[in-house]
Amino acid sequence: MDFLLHICETYRIKSLGTSWEYYRQYKQLYASVNGRHIDTNDNKEILKWHDATLVPHFKLRPPNVDGKPVVNSDGVFALLVFNIAYDDGIFASERQRINLLGIYQALAYTGARPGELVDNETPKPSDGSWEDLFASKCSTSSNEDNNHAPDEFQLLENILARETTDRGRPKALCYEDIRLMVVRHPETGQDMFSMAVKFIHHKGMDNNPKPTIFWFTMTRKLIFNFINVIICLALCDDAFDAPSLTTVRRVFQVKNAGPVKCTTLRWKKEWLKRPVFRVGDEVVRYHKLRDDLKRQSLDMGNEEPITPKAFRRGNANVMNRKAPDAVRDQALRHDPKWATFNSAYINENIELIHRTPFWTSQQKTL
């Protein structure tokens, strides 16, 4: 109770969902330090005190009461056009403009979380507090005379660190997650580009991995073509394994020979674990994407800044009308039993229903 009261008095907490999220993180810290969870009865009493005393005292509003911004297809089109044609912001290179173009397209098409495309890992504090709280205790031996940890402990520590230090790649979209290929259309017989993108680093993936593969094909409007963006970035990085693929013309001249129906364009081995969206040699961070999107959306003429999650909400609402609930939950990596879409992602705006106007039917009668 003292912790929640200190948080609300010291910081600008406006939502009861925010205050309760701090308490959930406090419970995780308590379990990590003490090796046991908070008593269930104490937890219930804290919840009652939080709702009955803390919320009315600090006037904490319910979550989602003000609505959340949602970006539809028209908003995505306007943002992409502004990015290419009208944005005069400060960019270190044209690659940053292409990075934003590709990230916007991927967010709008797939409804992926921004952390699946860019690096969203929280940097560790440099004051040594993280090591004091969460440093692995299995590497220390109970015997004071033995200065080296047993092999079993060292093996266990390496296994636990595979998702962090031993994975050899950041938690972002890398070239090894993308499969670019030329396939033969089953009806027309023409060769066309197709791309499979595997999203791995979703929310909670360390405990509940749900890798999801999205398929992309060529679009009629070039501004929506995510395949072109990936090809441009790969050519800038010289990531194609074939030495002849050095220009856009040569890439699009790749065709299937004879009875072959699919030709895969492979990446160089040294580029497999490198991120696709980068600023210089560093992967794009979430705060960089958030700040650039906020600036572009305000410069474009929006009354309120657009957040990266607005693409996900818009994509979820489109799938909710055109796909079964099981497909929608699979694409969003939601557990169906929690009904996450109905509680957090459903849009309160109602679209117009296209019907035949009354005057048209009367005119036909006359």
Side-chain angles (χ1 to χ4, degrees):
M1 291 180 180
D2 292 338
F3 170 75
L4 290 176
L5 186 61
H6 170 74
I7 289 293
C8 293
E9 289 179 345
T10 307
Y11 303 99
R12 299 176 58 184
I13 306 299
K14 299 181 179 180
S15 172
L16 63 90
T18 304
S19 62
W20 193 249
E21 178 63 26
Y22 277 111
Y23 176 64
R24 293 177 59 186
Q25 296 178 4
Y26 175 83
K27 291 194 296 183
Q28 295 178 359
L29 179 62
Y30 179 89
S32 299
V33 175
N34 296 281
R36 59 185 178 89
H37 297 285
I38 295 180
D39 185 80
T40 304
N41 296 328
D42 295 339
N43 189 32
K44 293 180 180 179
E45 292 299 326
I46 294 176
L47 176 60
K48 293 178 183 179
W49 174 81
H50 175 270
D51 296 340
T53 304
L54 198 66
V55 172
H57 179 73
F58 292 97
K59 299 179 180 180
L60 302 180
R61 59 174 177 81
N64 302 338
V65 69
D66 297 334
K68 294 182 178 180
V70 179
V71 177
N72 55 12
S73 58
D74 296 333
V76 175
F77 179 73
L79 188 60
L80 294 178
V81 171
F82 179 81
N83 187 338
I84 295 177
Y86 299 100
D87 187 20
D88 56 353
I90 300 175
F91 284 91
S93 64
E94 284 298 322
R95 184 186 180 90
Q96 296 189 23
R97 191 185 301 269
I98 300 176
N99 284 339
L100 291 179
L101 183 66
I103 293 173
Y104 295 163
Q105 292 174 349
L107 293 176
Y109 281 141
T110 64
R113 290 184 174 88
E116 300 179 79
L117 300 171
V118 298
D119 191 2
N120 195 27
E121 284 192 290
T122 303
K124 299 178 182 178
S126 57
D127 57 356
S129 58
W130 190 93
E131 288 76 9
D132 295 339
L133 292 174
F134 303 104
S136 177
K137 300 178 178 58
C138 63
S139 60
T140 60
S141 175
S142 58
N143 188 2
E144 297 180 356
D145 297 333
N146 187 9
N147 297 326
H148 300 282
D151 296 338
E152 296 82 1
F153 291 161
Q154 188 65 36
L155 178 60
L156 176 60
E157 187 176 2
N158 292 335
I159 293 176
L160 295 176
R162 288 183 62 184
E163 285 296 328
T164 55
T165 58
D166 293 346
R167 66 174 180 260
R169 51 165 288 175
K171 285 188 176 181
L173 184 67
C174 296
Y175 278 101
E176 66 177 359
D177 303 326
I178 300 176
R179 184 180 181 186
L180 183 64
M181 65 198 82
V182 180
V183 297
R184 183 167 298 171
H185 198 280
E187 296 181 0
T188 62
Q190 297 181 353
D191 293 332
M192 57 180 296
F193 273 89
S194 179
M195 185 172 62
V197 180
K198 184 178 181 180
F199 290 132
I200 303 175
H201 301 289
H202 58 86
K203 187 176 182 180
M205 62 90 186
D206 293 332
N207 300 325
N208 191 12
K210 293 181 181 178
T212 307
I213 298 177
F214 288 88
W215 293 87
F216 295 86
T217 56
M218 304 295 287
T219 59
R220 295 182 179 180
K221 292 185 178 180
L222 294 179
I223 197 171
F224 289 112
N225 200 328
F226 185 49
I227 298 180
N228 284 348
V229 175
I230 297 299
I231 292 177
C232 291
L233 293 177
L235 289 173
C236 293
D237 296 334
D238 192 19
F240 287 107
D241 194 18
S244 60
L245 300 181
T246 56
T247 62
V248 177
R249 180 184 296 273
R250 292 187 177 182
V251 172
F252 280 94
Q253 287 178 348
V254 176
K255 302 296 181 182
N256 293 315
V260 178
K261 298 182 179 180
C262 178
T263 301
T264 303
L265 279 66
R266 306 186 183 279
W267 314 114
K268 293 181 179 178
K269 187 176 180 180
E270 60 269 18
W271 280 95
L272 292 179
K273 296 186 180 298
R274 295 188 183 182
V276 178
F277 304 110
R278 305 188 316 280
V279 178
D281 295 333
E282 299 293 334
V283 60
V284 176
R285 302 299 300 270
Y286 174 77
H287 64 83
K288 173 66 176 176
L289 169 63
R290 178 198 58 201
D291 296 341
D292 289 342
L293 177 58
K294 178 181 179 180
R295 181 188 59 79
Q296 283 194 351
S297 58
L298 292 177
D299 293 345
M300 187 181 64
N302 281 24
E303 296 182 359
E304 297 181 357
I306 298 176
T307 60
K309 294 182 179 179
F311 297 95
R312 179 174 174 83
R313 299 188 193 104
N315 188 279
N317 282 275
V318 171
M319 287 189 293
N320 185 54
R321 295 191 297 268
K322 297 183 180 179
D325 293 348
V327 177
R328 180 201 66 201
D329 292 336
Q330 179 189 6
L332 297 176
R333 270 78 74 200
H334 285 169
D335 195 335
K337 68 179 181 180
W338 299 116
T340 307
F341 174 82
N342 295 327
S343 61
Y345 284 87
I346 194 168
N347 185 10
E348 64 273 12
N349 299 322
I350 301 176
E351 293 188 359
L352 296 178
I353 302 176
H354 298 282
R355 293 180 179 175
T356 304
F358 174 77
W359 66 270
T360 305
S361 59
Q362 294 293 328
Q363 185 179 14
K364 289 182 180 180
T365 304
L366 295 176

